[in-house]
């Protein structure tokens, strides 16, 4: 928006400068032309007095010497003719043309010379000034001075260059010294609103826009805050609904399981009750997962530096008895911005999925820190925790759906689980500024079409 406002403001400023400069330049060019015209009128009047004696006495030496010196100094040419249009003297370059003939005719008729056109740098023309020669009402001849306008045009061109330079300097100084700060001041509330929206989208539901600035932006900030309040209230209601539903379902499920177990003690065949107990346990696990999911986002998480490598090694030690082959590759210490509880929850979910969906296959856990932030902004980079198995993996169409709530792969519908584990992990990582990546394992020695790799990506401390 800053660029757009500058694009609008600079042409307007340019038009304003042109509106001031063009009349000034035109006035200067007209004055400079008039000054030269007046000077040439005085010269023609003086030559007319000298030409009168020369025509009457046929003594042209004095006049010829005078005209020669004049043309050497000022350039151009001077034409002196008698009443019959016969040339008496011609000093300088002889001028033959319609303009000179017209000037001679006008002078012989006694008419005054008209004001010349303004001398502009891009128009090359001479100034013709004529005067009749005579005594009383008798016209003895005419004098015409053909004066070049090079000097006047050079002065106008110089003034044009100076005014253009001043205008350009004024434009640049105004753009960077006035318009740019002014635009920044106008857009400051917009930038503040953008930062607030960024905080809100990153999960900080307490972010609110400052209702300052122009009335239009105050109204926008007020509407934005109302929207944020509505979103926060809606999320709180959703969390409360899920938490209340999970809590209300928990007690009946517990009572149901106790009653089913009592039926077993009353002599009912245990094989008939086993599926009911399994489904009850599955419902209980689902309710518990929903309760955990409802708590995501309820409290603003403040990530702090934690040793991810140590936490991952500890969780792998706890899960080691479950796997026949669990390989852990980790440096001694890797610090990331997260929380110990988030790392433990995520590792439990990932290792539990590897044990359920790839039973008996080797599992590798890798902790590494990116060499440098790939954005080029000199940031601290990321920490990646990768859990890969060599099991059957997922169908390619299912990979993009991993992490969605209640999602189960098409080949794992009969495997126990709620489909909420990775959804909880993804949400908890988002609270810490991290993300979840899912893809084929592609481990060395493994079938390239098999295996699954789930990676936790955390901001490095």
């Amino acid at each position: 928006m800053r660029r757009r406002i500058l694009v609008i403001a600079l042409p307007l400023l340019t038009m304003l400068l042109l509106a001031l400069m063009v009349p000034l330049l035109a006035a200067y060019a007209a004055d400079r032309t008039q000054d030269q015209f007046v000077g040439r009128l005085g010269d023609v009047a003086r030559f007319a007095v000298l030409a009168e004696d020369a025509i009457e006495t046929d003594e042209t030496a004095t006049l010829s010497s005078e005209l020669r010196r004049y043309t050497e100094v000022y350039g151009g040419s001077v034409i002196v003719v008698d009443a019959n249009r016969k040339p008496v003297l011609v000093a300088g370059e002889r001028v033959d043309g319609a303009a000179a003939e017209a000037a001679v005719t006008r002078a012989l008729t006694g008419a005054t010379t008209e004001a010349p056109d303004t001398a502009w740098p891009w128009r090359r023309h001479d100034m013709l000034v004529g005067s009749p020669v005579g005594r009383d009402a008798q016209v003895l001849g005419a004098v015409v001075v053909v004066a070049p306008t090079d000097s006047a045009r050079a002065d106008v061109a110089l003034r044009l260059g100076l005014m253009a330079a001043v205008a350009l300097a004024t434009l640049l100084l105004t753009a960077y010294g006035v318009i740019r700060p002014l635009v920044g001041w106008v857009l400051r509330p917009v930038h503040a609103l953008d930062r607030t929206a960024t905080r809100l989208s990153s999960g900080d539901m307490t972010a609110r826009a400052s209702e300052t600035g122009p009335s239009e932006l105050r109204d926008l900030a007020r509407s934005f805050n109302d929207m944020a309040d509505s979103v926060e209230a809606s999320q709180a209601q959703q969390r409360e609904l899920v938490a209340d539903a999970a809590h209300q379902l928990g007690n009946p499920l517990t009572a149901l399981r106790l009653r089913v177990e009592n039926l077993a003690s009353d002599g009912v065949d245990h094989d008939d009750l086993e599926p009911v107990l399994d489904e009850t346990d599955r419902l209980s696990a689902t309710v518990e997962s929903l309760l955990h999911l409802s708590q995501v986002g309820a409290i603003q998480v403040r990530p702090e530096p934690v040793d991810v490598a140590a936490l991952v090694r500890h969780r792998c030690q706890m899960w080691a008895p479950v796997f026949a082959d669990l390989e852990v590759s980790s440096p001694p210490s890797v610090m990331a911005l997260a929380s110990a509880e988030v790392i433990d929850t995520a590792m439990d979910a990932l290792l539990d999925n590897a044990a359920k969906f790839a039973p008996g296959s080797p599992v590798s856990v890798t902790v590494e820190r990116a060499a440098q932030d790939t954005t080029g902004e000199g940031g601290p980079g990321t920490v990646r925790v990768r859990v890969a198995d060599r099991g059957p993996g997922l169908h390619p169409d299912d990979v993009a759906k991993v992490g969605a709530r209640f999602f189960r792969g098409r080949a794992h519908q009969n495997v126990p689980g709620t489909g909420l584990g990775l959804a909880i992990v993804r949400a908890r990582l988002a609270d810490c500024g991290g993300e979840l990546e899912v893809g084929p394992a592609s481990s060395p020695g493994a079938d390239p079409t098999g295996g699954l790799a789930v990676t936790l990506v955390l901001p490095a401390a």
Side-chain angles (χ1 to χ4, degrees):
M1 184 177 290
R2 180 192 301 270
R3 190 179 298 110
R4 293 179 181 179
I5 295 179
L6 287 175
V7 168
I8 294 174
L10 290 180
L12 293 178
L13 179 60
T14 302
M15 294 174 61
L16 177 61
L17 291 175
L18 288 176
L20 295 175
M21 288 172 51
V22 170
L24 291 176
L25 183 63
Y28 175 79
D31 290 343
R32 183 65 181 82
T33 304
Q34 186 66 22
D35 289 342
Q36 183 176 1
F37 178 63
V38 172
R40 299 295 84 80
L41 281 177
D43 296 336
V44 166
R46 182 165 59 87
F47 293 150
V49 173
L50 296 176
E52 180 182 349
D53 296 335
I55 294 175
E56 289 181 340
T57 63
D58 291 332
E59 179 60 37
T60 61
T62 303
L63 178 61
S64 176
S65 175
E66 185 75 18
L67 296 183
R68 185 174 60 255
R69 288 196 301 270
Y70 178 82
T71 54
E72 289 175 354
V73 174
Y74 295 102
S77 60
V78 181
I79 304 172
V80 180
V81 298
D82 58 15
N84 297 321
R85 307 178 67 90
K86 180 181 178 180
V88 177
L89 280 175
V90 177
E93 298 180 358
R94 183 178 180 85
V95 179
D96 294 326
E101 291 293 333
V104 169
T105 302
R106 179 180 291 274
L108 289 175
T109 59
T112 58
T113 303
E114 296 181 352
D117 295 334
T118 303
W120 294 109
W122 51 87
R123 291 182 57 190
R124 183 178 181 85
H125 64 280
D126 294 329
M127 181 183 298
L128 282 79
V129 182
S131 175
V133 177
R135 183 179 293 108
D136 299 328
Q138 183 182 6
V139 176
L140 302 176
V143 176
V144 175
V145 173
V146 181
T149 57
D150 295 344
S151 176
R153 290 188 294 108
D155 291 344
V156 175
L158 177 61
R159 181 61 60 93
L160 176 61
L162 292 176
M163 294 181 69
V166 171
L168 180 60
T170 303
L171 188 64
L172 294 176
L173 291 176
T174 305
Y176 285 94
V178 178
I179 297 179
R180 186 180 177 88
L182 182 61
V183 171
W185 174 75
V186 172
L187 295 181
R188 190 175 300 127
V190 178
H191 294 322
L193 184 62
D194 177 66
R195 289 192 295 268
T196 303
T198 302
R199 290 174 53 196
L200 194 65
S201 63
S202 64
D204 184 5
M205 301 307 298
T206 63
R208 294 295 182 272
S210 176
E211 298 179 7
T212 58
S215 58
E216 295 83 358
L217 292 179
R218 289 200 301 269
D219 294 339
L220 178 61
R222 191 176 302 110
S223 301
F224 179 86
N225 290 337
D226 293 340
M227 179 199 68
D229 293 337
S230 300
V231 171
E232 185 180 18
S234 177
Q235 289 189 352
Q237 290 174 358
Q238 291 179 4
R239 287 193 295 267
E240 291 173 0
L241 176 61
V242 175
D244 291 343
H247 179 72
Q248 294 298 326
L249 289 173
N251 293 333
L253 285 174
T254 303
L256 178 61
R257 196 179 200 291
L258 291 175
R259 289 180 180 276
V260 173
E261 291 176 349
N262 289 335
L263 290 176
S265 63
D266 292 340
V268 180
D269 189 355
H270 183 73
D271 293 337
D272 295 335
L273 297 179
E274 188 65 27
V276 179
L277 291 174
D278 291 342
E279 291 301 321
T280 304
D281 291 338
R282 183 176 178 181
L283 284 174
S284 298
T286 301
V287 170
E288 184 178 359
S289 296
L290 286 173
L291 187 60
H292 287 301
L293 193 60
S294 68
Q295 296 173 353
V296 175
I299 301 176
Q300 183 66 30
V301 178
R302 298 188 180 275
E304 58 184 6
V306 295
D307 190 348
V308 176
L311 293 173
V312 170
R313 287 195 299 268
H314 175 70
R315 297 316 300 167
C316 289
Q317 290 174 1
M318 300 299 295
W319 281 84
V322 178
F323 300 96
D325 184 4
L326 178 61
E327 179 184 355
V328 181
S329 175
S330 169
S333 176
V334 178
M335 304 299 294
L337 293 176
S339 68
E341 191 264 338
V342 169
I343 301 299
D344 291 344
T345 300
M347 289 304 300
D348 287 342
L350 267 56
L351 293 173
D352 179 60
N353 284 348
K356 287 190 302 183
F357 300 120
S361 71
V363 176
S364 62
V365 179
T366 305
V367 181
E368 61 181 1
R369 176 169 178 167
Q372 185 64 32
D373 183 13
T374 58
T375 62
E377 297 179 356
T382 57
V383 174
R384 305 173 66 86
V385 181
R386 184 174 184 268
V387 179
D389 61 65
R390 300 182 185 179
L394 288 173
H395 191 278
D397 295 338
D398 291 342
V399 173
K401 302 175 184 178
V402 175
R405 296 176 183 178
F406 299 106
F407 169 76
R408 304 295 298 277
R410 62 189 67 186
H412 306 128
Q413 296 295 327
N414 296 325
V415 179
T418 63
L420 291 173
L422 290 184
I424 295 175
V425 172
R426 186 186 294 274
R428 299 300 299 274
L429 287 175
D431 287 344
C432 297
E435 57 182 323
L436 188 71
E437 295 180 356
V438 181
S442 300
S443 303
D447 183 357
T449 62
L452 186 71
V454 183
T455 304
L456 310 177
V457 182
L458 296 166

